[in-house]
Amino acid sequence: MRPLLCCLGIAALLGRSLACPSACSCSTKKNGRLLAECAYKELLEVPQGLSPNVSILTLSANRIGWLRQGAFAEVPEVQSLWLGYNQISAVEPGAFALLVQLKNLDLSHNKIMDFPWQDLRNLSGLQILKMNNNRLSGLPRDAFHALKDLRSLWLNDNELTTLAEGTFDNLPSLSQVQIFNNPFNCSCKVFWLKRWTENTSVSIAKGGATLCVAPGRLKGRAVTDIPDHHCVAPSVQLTYLSNLDNTVMYDGLTLTLHCSVAGSPPPEIRWKIQTSSRGIEINGPNVARDGNVFPPGRVKQSQERFLVFKNGTMAIPKFSKEDEGIYTCLAVNDVGTREVSVNVALAGSENPAEDLLQDDPQASHLGGRSCYKGDEMDPSGAGEKLVIVYHVPRESKSKAGGAVPQVCLGTLLLALVIALCW
């Protein structure tokens, strides 16, 4: 009786290992891998009843329209999954997340517009990924960053208009990329791609043309042929007490900083302010050229103290001890970001140099003038400077005998051992 039961148990195990849906044909390869061949069967979904030890699953050339979560839960050991030439338009998150042994994934020639990129985080052993001939219009910068073994990536013949800088970073095994036949908008957001193709050892397959569709002046031109002068990284200079260019002057002690930028396309100017009590980011002007503040609904209450003009000038009327801190100007365009900072402090005596020297014996007074304008705050952005703002009493007189204005900006420039963020 026992031998019979043993034989029945073995038969059951063998039957389970060789389970095969009626629409498929299953066989064992010479290398011991189990193949489930389900191509060209007019299937509308992934068939049920597959053996859990299937390592090669072919579902190409069917009519599958969507992949549900856990669609391949029955075949957790699959290493090669072929889904090309279906009608897949929807892929639910979790459809591929369990296939941790997957090495080859073919999703080419479908209708995929959105994809659960987070599923790829579990597929660290993936070597070949084919997503060509779909309808992908974009993908996140870190879509492939978990794929340390990825060797071949096919993205050609999609609807990609741009690729985020760094898309192909952190892929040490990558040897081939196909991105041709995509309608690239050759703004400076893809200028990095030109530099990358010039310096990478990865083979850029040329089965078709990687051409610009926009802007008009570059239409039909290869992405790798974008003119260098078309895209220039930002440069930035920060000066104090600059000309306000017909903007309104404010009563009281006013700190004025001016940010000058250059680059192509013209950089946007943003400000970061860090005081002892708060951090503020201002991403654009909040004052018109006539000096009128934008309607209250457009300016956050925390930003109302800091008047930012379109020409790059920032004014802080009635500057006080509470406003001391680090003021950073950022120049941002599609090529990159550049920033420079100043550390602003308020001193209360006639001679701020004396106060500062008492606090820091190593400090020195540079320039010998108590009030002048147009001095650059480290235009190279290589280090941080300190600006001391102080009030000159009304009774003080100039050497020429004239009254010194009550509001004045005195400056001490001290090189600090604080490196700027790039």
Side-chain angles (χ1 to χ4, degrees):
M1 189 65 177
R2 288 184 179 177
L4 178 60
L5 292 174
C6 184
C7 291
L8 289 174
I10 293 174
L13 290 174
L14 289 174
R16 183 175 180 271
S17 66
L18 297 175
C20 192
S22 58
C24 306
S25 61
C26 302
S27 61
T28 303
K29 308 292 286 184
K30 291 182 178 180
N31 56 11
R33 294 179 180 176
L34 185 61
L35 166 65
E37 177 63 66
C38 312
Y40 297 95
K41 301 297 182 180
E42 299 292 316
L43 295 173
L44 299 178
E45 60 182 10
V46 178
Q48 299 296 301
L50 290 163
S51 298
N53 55 347
V54 166
S55 54
I56 303 173
L57 177 57
T58 301
L59 289 164
S60 304
N62 282 291
R63 297 171 58 194
I64 300 172
W66 69 295
L67 298 174
R68 59 178 175 80
Q69 181 181 5
F72 304 101
E74 288 188 339
V75 288
E77 298 179 11
V78 70
Q79 296 182 21
S80 296
L81 179 56
W82 311 113
L83 287 159
Y85 292 93
N86 275 279
Q87 299 176 21
I88 301 170
S89 59
V91 183
E92 291 185 357
F96 300 101
L98 300 177
L99 306 183
V100 295
Q101 298 188 42
L102 198 60
K103 294 183 178 179
N104 306 301
L105 176 58
D106 181 7
L107 287 163
S108 64
H109 297 272
N110 279 287
K111 302 176 182 180
I112 300 172
M113 292 185 290
D114 296 310
F115 186 81
W117 302 104
Q118 65 272 21
D119 278 16
L120 299 183
R121 296 172 188 168
N122 294 334
L123 311 185
S124 58
L126 197 64
Q127 297 177 5
I128 298 175
L129 177 59
K130 295 184 177 182
M131 302 193 74
N132 53 292
N133 293 86
N134 275 285
R135 299 177 181 176
L136 297 172
S137 59
L139 48 92
R141 179 181 180 275
D142 59 351
F144 311 116
H145 283 190
L147 308 181
K148 304 302 181 184
D149 292 337
L150 188 66
R151 294 187 286 106
S152 182
L153 177 61
W154 298 36
L155 293 170
N156 55 284
D157 293 276
N158 274 285
E159 298 178 8
L160 298 171
T161 58
T162 188
L163 288 172
E165 184 171 2
T167 296
F168 306 126
D169 290 351
N170 303 314
L171 299 174
S173 303
L174 191 63
S175 59
Q176 181 192 39
V177 169
Q178 296 190 175
I179 56 173
F180 56 84
N181 288 347
N182 278 290
F184 283 111
N185 181 343
C186 293
S187 69
C188 293
K189 290 182 179 179
V190 298
F191 186 67
W192 71 270
L193 189 58
K194 172 186 176 177
R195 298 195 304 261
W196 183 79
T197 57
E198 291 172 344
N199 298 312
T200 186
S201 60
V202 176
S203 173
I204 313 298
K206 298 180 180 178
T210 308
L211 301 179
C212 304
V213 172
R217 64 182 179 278
L218 296 176
K219 185 175 182 179
R221 197 163 183 170
V223 172
T224 55
D225 197 28
I226 300 175
D228 289 344
H229 64 80
H230 179 62
C231 302
V232 180
S235 61
V236 58
Q237 288 185 336
L238 189 55
T239 57
Y240 65 91
L241 197 59
S242 66
N243 187 351
L244 286 180
D245 295 335
N246 298 322
T247 55
V248 176
M249 293 297 293
Y250 295 87
D251 294 333
L253 180 60
T254 299
L255 172 65
T256 304
L257 301 173
H258 183 73
C259 188
S260 300
V261 300
S264 180
E268 297 178 3
I269 297 176
R270 304 174 186 175
W271 292 89
K272 290 194 301 186
I273 303 161
Q274 184 62 57
T275 68
S276 60
S277 61
R278 57 182 173 173
I280 297 172
E281 294 187 8
I282 304 176
N283 293 326
N286 58 21
V287 181
R289 290 185 65 85
D290 61 4
N292 293 321
V293 179
F294 289 158
R298 294 181 56 185
V299 180
K300 295 180 180 179
Q301 186 174 2
S302 61
Q303 299 178 4
E304 291 178 354
R305 288 276 300 118
F306 308 96
L307 306 177
V308 177
F309 298 83
K310 187 176 181 180
N311 67 354
T313 295
M314 173 189 286
I316 305 98
K318 299 180 181 178
F319 190 86
S320 67
K321 295 289 286 185
E322 293 181 356
D323 300 317
E324 291 182 332
I326 298 175
Y327 288 71
T328 302
C329 171
L330 298 93
V332 182
N333 69 6
D334 291 339
V335 187
T337 300
R338 193 84 164 107
E339 66 179 56
V340 64
S341 300
V342 291
N343 193 341
V344 182
L346 182 65
S349 74
E350 295 184 28
N351 190 347
E354 294 178 358
D355 288 347
L356 187 65
L357 289 170
Q358 291 176 3
D359 295 333
D360 183 1
Q362 301 300 318
S364 60
H365 182 254
L366 305 179
R369 293 173 291 173
S370 64
C371 185
Y372 49 98
K373 71 178 185 178
D375 293 301
E376 296 177 357
M377 297 292 98
D378 192 18
S380 68
E384 195 172 76
K385 300 291 184 178
L386 180 65
V387 177
I388 302 294
V389 183
Y390 66 96
H391 179 264
V392 178
R394 184 185 301 275
E395 59 271 19
S396 297
K397 303 293 183 179
S398 67
K399 291 182 179 180
V404 176
Q406 184 173 358
V407 177
C408 184
L409 290 180
T411 61
L412 292 174
L413 305 184
L414 303 175
L416 302 181
V417 195
I418 302 177
L420 284 176
C421 298
W422 291 78

